[in-house]
Amino acid sequence: MINFKKSNKVFLDFDGVIVDSNHFKEMAIEKTIFKLLGKNKETIEAINFFNINAGISRENKLTRFFQDHTVSKIMELYAYECSIFFKKAFPTNGLIEFLRFTKSNHKNLKLFVLSGGEKDEITFFLKKHFLLNYFEEILASEKNKLHHLKEKQVSVNDIFIGDSINDLKASIEIGIKFILFSQYKSLKSFPKSELIKKNVLLETRNFESLMKNIISYE
């Protein structure tokens, strides 16, 4: 069982946790790169790297393969695809109930969005669904996740809820607890079972199933 009374901060990943967007983004980056640069060995390698490394900023991933002006073009077209998606997307199962529960029962608990995505996209989505006020801050692609966690001076009882191997690695390195979501996962970026067994506090499908594992003090 999860005891939030011991935690001061909880960090929520965005893609695959707050919104079911992993598979869309995998298709969108492929569509974008092939449209601009064609299908060849380099573009296929870049797309595979992009999708395997969910949780890392898109710009950092693209600059490993392409010149700055090309990265800018990819980012612009990809951001347009994302803007269309987020206008239609909805929060994941149980998210709203989870946010209401923590606000009512754990008033001193601070919630953060911790994502490799773009801050403006995350802000737009949360505002659209009237969820922005539940969060202390949006920690996005301007810094990597480990950097953000260090700046927030996390403690061993703080929790990161994520869905990718890079999320898990950041929690391991900084030394906080990790809850792994699986319903909206990408098989390309999901951690291996051995790593899960050794380092994950709880593996669960979504917020709806997570709520069944939280100790309630009502």
Side-chain angles (χ1 to χ4, degrees):
M1 298 294 286
I2 308 299
N3 185 356
F4 280 116
K5 286 286 187 182
K6 296 181 179 180
S7 305
N8 296 313
K9 305 179 187 77
V10 175
F11 301 87
L12 282 63
D13 182 36
F14 185 65
D15 297 300
V17 173
I18 290 175
V19 61
D20 180 10
S21 51
N22 281 323
H23 297 299
F24 158 75
K25 286 193 167 182
E26 289 176 356
M27 292 186 292
I29 194 63
E30 180 177 304
K31 175 183 175 181
T32 298
I33 290 177
F34 284 167
K35 181 177 181 178
L36 290 173
L37 302 168
K39 186 175 182 179
N40 53 61
K41 184 178 179 180
E42 183 184 33
T43 55
I44 292 170
E45 186 179 352
I47 291 164
N48 288 336
F49 181 84
F50 190 99
N51 291 332
I52 288 169
N53 287 283
I56 298 175
S57 82
R58 61 191 67 166
E59 185 173 7
N60 287 346
K61 291 185 284 190
L62 292 169
T63 52
R64 291 175 61 101
F65 296 90
F66 307 114
Q67 304 259 337
D68 288 348
H69 69 280
T70 303
V71 170
S72 296
K73 290 179 181 178
I74 295 171
M75 295 260 296
E76 182 179 356
L77 185 54
Y78 181 70
Y80 174 73
E81 296 285 341
C82 289
S83 70
I84 295 172
F85 174 83
F86 287 124
K87 286 176 183 176
K88 300 176 182 179
F90 290 92
T92 55
N93 291 343
L95 172 67
I96 294 172
E97 291 75 13
F98 170 80
L99 295 175
R100 289 172 178 168
F101 171 83
T102 53
K103 185 173 184 178
S104 297
N105 294 276
H106 303 279
K107 297 185 185 299
N108 294 321
L109 185 67
K110 295 180 179 179
L111 300 180
F112 299 84
V113 177
L114 179 60
S115 173
E118 299 300 302
K119 190 170 185 176
D120 58 344
E121 293 173 1
I122 298 168
T123 303
F124 169 83
F125 180 83
L126 295 177
K127 281 185 175 179
K128 183 176 186 292
H129 295 283
F130 306 101
L131 301 176
L132 188 62
N133 290 339
Y134 285 100
F135 294 96
E136 189 80 11
E137 191 176 351
I138 297 171
L139 310 172
S141 63
E142 66 275 7
K143 297 173 185 174
N144 66 47
K145 292 183 179 182
L146 185 60
H147 194 148
H148 280 305
L149 290 170
K150 287 178 178 177
E151 284 192 340
K152 293 304 168 189
Q153 299 180 328
V154 295
S155 68
V156 293
N157 288 317
D158 291 334
I159 296 172
F160 184 11
I161 302 173
D163 71 320
S164 74
I165 188 168
N166 284 312
D167 294 340
L168 178 52
K169 284 180 176 179
S171 75
I172 293 169
E173 187 163 347
I174 201 70
I176 62 173
K177 301 181 187 304
F178 189 78
I179 294 173
L180 179 67
F181 275 19
S182 62
Q183 181 175 355
Y184 313 102
K185 68 184 177 185
S186 164
L187 293 176
K188 295 178 181 178
S189 60
F190 199 69
K192 303 295 183 185
S193 58
E194 185 177 345
L195 198 62
I196 294 171
K197 288 177 184 177
K198 291 181 179 179
N199 300 285
V200 169
L201 176 65
L202 173 70
E203 181 180 354
T204 191
R205 284 178 55 74
N206 51 41
F207 286 103
E208 189 174 54
S209 58
L210 172 61
M211 291 288 288
K212 298 174 183 177
N213 289 279
I214 296 175
I215 297 173
S216 177
Y217 293 91
E218 293 181 293

